[in-house]
Amino acid sequence: MTKRVVLIGHPVAHSLSWAMQQAAFDSLGIDATYEAWDRAPIELADAVTELRTDAFLGANVTIPHKERVVPMVDRLTEEAHNTGAVNTITREGKRLIGHNTDVPGFKVALDRLVGKQKMPRQAVVLGAGGGARAVVYGLITEGFQRVIVFNRHLHRAESMVKHFARSAAHMELRAMPWHESIIESELAKTKVLVNATSIGLTADESPIPAESLNGDLLVLDLIYARTKLLRDAAAAGCTVADGELMLLHQGAAAFTLWTGQPAPLDLMQERLAAARAGGLRSAEGEPAGDTATAEAPAATAAE
Ligand code: NAP
């Protein structure tokens, strides 16, 4: 029987994950399909219940469900428990296990961004959703000493900081209100800036004014595209990276969890690049922009 893996999000219209995961299944002769399920928050519990049958190897969970899905699985791995967010689900019989492969994906992206320099100790994070949780946990475990989180709704950043109170006991982890002047003043004191908001995903907008950016910053946008933030940052002389490596490595780790086999990383990277060049976009990070008219591959229109 052909097994199924689904990407549950809202929206998930055209999936870059499909391009890399389906190619990986096919190249290793694994009889499985990767499908996109667009499910509004109210439909999430039913979608998760469906995964409990033999037909499914598991799932990916993306924007905006990564935190909401946590109580819907039967067990959490240490990383999923510590972050309070799940992006990958595997099945053991009827039991569902929640994992967070965004954490190792983020660490690969951070390492590549920092390159040969000494790992910095200060960071500013924009956003407090599921992706931001993986980022903040990654920064804590990487040994950062000061991490400041800004979010449109301050209470969400505050509850994330509270969630990490124990793991961040040795360092300064603070939520601050989203005011341009406060962000600019914090950026002047930091080395790493991570955009974990979805600003830039569906419109060519930046979360912060270009003038806030100084050329010493290392800037990572989790969105898999050359966003306005990254263009502004590059123009200011910053070192920049988009979400490609994070997307690739979270996907590779998820593939291994579902199949028990090492992921064909080069092939997956090639397929991601081709899908991007071909105009596909996804909830994981490609803004609509001029790609909006691209055809979705048939397999993503799973429903
Ligand atoms: P999420 O849980 O829905 O969180 C969305 C975040 O964006 C929240 O902090 C939200 O702020 C903020 N936001 C959304 N619209 C906003 C607006 N108009 N103004 C200000 N803030 C806004 O989503 P997520 O799963 O964390 O994903 C966030 C982004 O990271 C997405 O673009 C996603 O594609 C990307 N991502 C990429 C990867 C990768 O592998 N490259 C992995 C994970 C996530 P509020 O809380 O105030 O609403």
Side-chain angles (χ1 to χ4, degrees):
M1 179 177 59
T2 303
K3 297 285 189 184
R4 301 170 72 185
V5 176
V6 294
L7 168 66
I8 308 174
H10 185 64
V12 283
H14 301 196
S15 173
L16 287 169
S17 287
W18 173 83
M20 65 173 172
Q21 297 293 3
Q22 192 63 56
F25 290 143
D26 295 347
S27 78
L28 294 184
I30 296 166
D31 185 13
T33 59
Y34 190 90
E35 310 159 13
W37 281 2
D38 190 330
R39 296 288 187 274
I42 196 166
E43 302 169 302
L44 181 63
D46 285 346
V48 172
T49 300
E50 265 193 74
L51 302 176
R52 294 178 189 276
T53 69
D54 275 351
F56 292 89
L57 291 179
N60 274 144
V61 180
T62 188
I63 182 172
H65 300 317
K66 288 178 183 178
E67 293 158 88
R68 200 173 280 113
V69 79
V70 165
M72 298 176 189
V73 298
D74 304 297
R75 183 166 68 77
L76 296 171
T77 61
E78 193 180 330
E79 264 162 356
H81 174 75
N82 287 342
T83 52
V86 163
N87 81 322
T88 300
I89 295 175
T90 54
R91 193 176 54 78
E92 287 173 4
K94 285 192 177 353
R95 286 167 55 80
L96 299 179
I97 319 301
H99 308 255
N100 193 313
T101 68
D102 280 340
V103 176
F106 167 70
K107 287 197 172 190
V108 173
L110 179 68
D111 279 349
R112 186 71 64 87
L113 179 71
V114 171
K116 292 196 166 69
Q117 301 179 49
K118 195 165 166 275
M119 183 58 76
R121 294 290 172 236
Q122 293 90 23
V124 164
V125 177
L126 306 176
R133 282 176 174 253
V135 168
V136 169
Y137 186 65
L139 294 169
I140 293 171
T141 52
E142 197 61 51
F144 275 62
Q145 290 302 311
R146 186 165 195 272
V147 175
I148 308 298
V149 181
F150 292 94
N151 196 52
R152 173 177 57 178
H153 295 105
L154 178 60
H155 65 87
R156 196 172 180 192
E158 286 172 337
S159 62
M160 180 170 79
V161 166
K162 205 164 153 200
H163 173 89
F164 286 118
R166 195 183 289 180
S167 10
H170 61 289
M171 58 172 288
E172 185 182 2
L173 173 64
R174 292 177 64 186
M176 288 194 182
W178 188 296
H179 289 307
E180 282 176 10
S181 60
I182 306 179
I183 296 176
E184 187 168 342
S185 124
E186 283 305 322
L187 287 179
K189 294 185 241 168
T190 203
K191 183 72 187 163
V192 173
L193 167 64
V194 182
N195 178 36
T197 74
S198 42
I199 302 172
L201 183 64
T202 55
D204 192 27
E205 292 168 358
S206 173
I208 52 171
E211 307 75 60
S212 320
L213 297 158
N214 66 75
D216 290 336
L217 287 168
L218 306 174
V219 182
L220 174 64
D221 198 330
L222 299 199
I223 296 172
Y224 178 22
R226 189 132 180 105
T227 55
K228 181 166 187 327
L229 171 66
L230 293 183
R231 297 196 310 275
D232 289 346
C238 308
T239 303
V240 303
D242 69 21
E244 174 185 358
L245 272 186
M246 180 168 171
L247 182 63
L248 174 67
H249 285 271
Q250 64 75 29
F255 178 89
T256 299
L257 288 168
W258 298 319
T259 65
Q261 302 203 37
L265 210 55
D266 290 347
L267 173 73
M268 291 171 83
Q269 186 156 29
E270 191 185 289
R271 292 305 167 94
L272 263 186
R276 183 176 180 176
L280 293 187
R281 61 196 167 90
S282 79
E284 305 92 329
E286 184 84 0
D290 54 6
T291 67
T293 54
E295 290 283 313
T300 63
E303 298 144 272

